[in-house]
Amino acid sequence: MYDKIIDTLTGMYFTLDDADGSYGTGQVVRLATEGIYFVRFDGNEVTLPLELVSVGEMLETTEEEYRLWRFFDTIEERDKWIEWLDAPSTPRVISLVKPTK
């Protein structure tokens, strides 16, 4: 039998989408037991306590099949995603008229 538990999430950073359109951020701290991780959400002023989250919760999706949790290897990768996510979209104008010479 193979009894080794594979841990691929410890140390990863994440964003977690909320139903109201906002999102939370944090880091997977360590494996608690098979399929359950300790995570710490980022707080504004104080360090928040650890929370237990199952892999099943991390795999949840919206009704449109979008994942709620997104994982990143580094905080820089996560920050780039957040920067892109928070950037205002700019409308683009596409001309359907063929230019004449």
Side-chain angles (χ1 to χ4, degrees), residues 13-17 21-25 66-88:
Y13 296 90
F14 65 83
T15 62
L16 172 59
D17 293 347
S22 64
Y23 57 87
T25 60
Y66 292 109
R67 292 190 180 200
L68 299 174
W69 291 73
R70 289 183 184 83
F71 295 94
F72 306 89
D73 290 325
T74 66
I75 199 164
E76 291 80 16
E77 288 175 3
R78 186 187 70 184
D79 289 346
K80 282 178 72 173
W81 169 259
I82 291 170
E83 184 180 322
W84 175 83
L85 193 63
D86 290 343

Side-chain angles (χ1 to χ4, degrees), residues 40-60:
R40 175 168 284 132
F41 286 90
D42 297 331
N44 290 338
E45 297 178 17
V46 296
T47 302
L48 299 175
L50 297 176
E51 294 187 31
L52 289 171
V53 179
S54 71
V55 171
E57 290 174 273
M58 293 176 182
L59 294 174
E60 288 180 353

Side-chain angles (χ1 to χ4, degrees), residues 3 6 24 28 31 40 45 52 55 62-63 70 90 99 101:
D3 293 333
I6 297 174
V28 179
L31 185 67
R40 175 168 284 132
E45 297 178 17
L52 289 171
V55 171
T62 65
E63 291 177 8
R70 289 183 184 83
T90 55
K101 291 187 178 185

